Amino acid sequence: AQTVTQSQPEMSVQEAETVTLSCTYDTSESDYYLFWYKQPPSRQMILVIRQEAYKQQNATENRFSVNFQKAAKSFSLKISDSQLGDAAMYFCAYVDSGGYQKVTFGIGTKLQVIP
Amino acid sequence: DTGVSQDPRHKITKRGQNVTFRCDPISEHNRLYWYRQTLGQGPEFLTYFQNEAQLEKSRLLSDRFSAERPKGSFSTLEIQRTEQGDSAMYLCASSLAWGRTEAFFGQGTRLTVV
């Protein structure tokens, strides 16, 4: 079974600074997708960034970028120029490209942005 | 279509009562997922529908839980004889093909069993 591990329960960053959230995963598959989701307090989960495992190039979405290390099964999220609105729970998630697409989530990292 | 909607947003029930939650997915999405999220945890997979067919159920989904998606549109999740351990946020998500395309979440139903 696939597992997703987020080892940082909480992180904090100064506004305008850069922070990196860690995620490791375990799978025997070679083709899959990885995601970072953001869940603000009392609001719904939204997709931050997506990475396809067969692509070596790291995904980037504006201030958000990932460091995808397939051999190490590592998938970290870097947030640059942190803003107050970035404060939220961040979940790393995994899904096989085939099968029934059960998405497995990590336990999350709570990000605090300090003004 | 404004996205995935869930009803009710909050539900307080007495232990032993039955509850039913509803999820309305984005209309063109053929795949629908139910997740459960407890405090301090990530969402845990419960079940998955492709159109009206329930294709996978987690071991978390005991025989007190049942989910349906008649006609491949909205879905309901029923919990019979609720227990305090059922207290959680129940999340619904829909997609065309999660991974190749984006999945969208509803705001969830928060269940409190007293």
Side-chain angles (χ1 to χ4, degrees), chain A residues 33 35 37 39 42-47 50 52 89 91 93 95-108, chain B residues 4 9 31 33 35 37 40-45 48 55-56 91 95-107:
Chain A
Y33 299 91
F35 315 90
Y37 281 90
Q39 188 177 42
S42 301
R43 297 187 63 184
Q44 65 206 97
M45 191 104 61
I46 57 173
L47 178 66
R50 180 182 75 119
E52 299 165 63
M89 285 293 291
F91 294 97
V95 67
D96 290 342
S97 63
Y100 293 146
Q101 295 196 312
K102 182 181 106 174
V103 179
T104 302
F105 287 83
I107 65 169
Chain B
V4 179
R9 293 286 309 281
R31 302 185 186 201
Y33 311 78
Y35 279 79
Q37 186 178 19
Q41 299 294 319
E44 296 174 294
F45 172 81
Y48 156 63
L55 296 185
E56 189 171 352
L91 299 172
S95 76
L96 287 171
W98 201 342
R100 291 195 299 279
T101 64
E102 186 173 348
F104 293 86
F105 281 84
Q107 291 188 291

Side-chain angles (χ1 to χ4, degrees), chain B residues 61-97:
Chain B
L61 217 62
S62 75
D63 56 6
R64 296 185 298 105
F65 288 71
S66 62
E68 295 183 339
R69 193 184 181 196
K71 302 179 183 177
S73 56
F74 70 92
S75 176
T76 58
L77 178 68
E78 181 184 17
I79 309 174
Q80 296 182 326
R81 306 180 303 281
T82 53
E83 301 172 357
Q84 286 189 321
D86 297 332
S87 295
M89 176 75 83
Y90 290 84
L91 299 172
C92 177
S94 73
S95 76
L96 287 171

Side-chain angles (χ1 to χ4, degrees), chain B residues 10-78:
Chain B
H10 304 274
K11 178 72 176 178
I12 300 174
T13 190
K14 291 184 178 179
R15 189 175 53 175
Q17 297 294 305
N18 298 343
V19 294
T20 300
F21 310 141
R22 177 179 171 123
C23 172
D24 286 89
I26 292 173
S27 57
E28 62 266 29
H29 286 180
N30 60 345
R31 302 185 186 201
L32 185 147
Y33 311 78
W34 284 99
Y35 279 79
R36 181 170 70 185
Q37 186 178 19
T38 54
L39 200 61
Q41 299 294 319
E44 296 174 294
F45 172 81
L46 292 179
T47 191
Y48 156 63
F49 290 86
Q50 184 165 325
N51 300 312
E52 66 274 12
Q54 188 174 20
L55 296 185
E56 189 171 352
K57 291 170 59 173
S58 165
R59 287 171 294 174
L60 293 173
L61 217 62
S62 75
D63 56 6
R64 296 185 298 105
F65 288 71
S66 62
E68 295 183 339
R69 193 184 181 196
K71 302 179 183 177
S73 56
F74 70 92
S75 176
T76 58
L77 178 68
E78 181 184 17

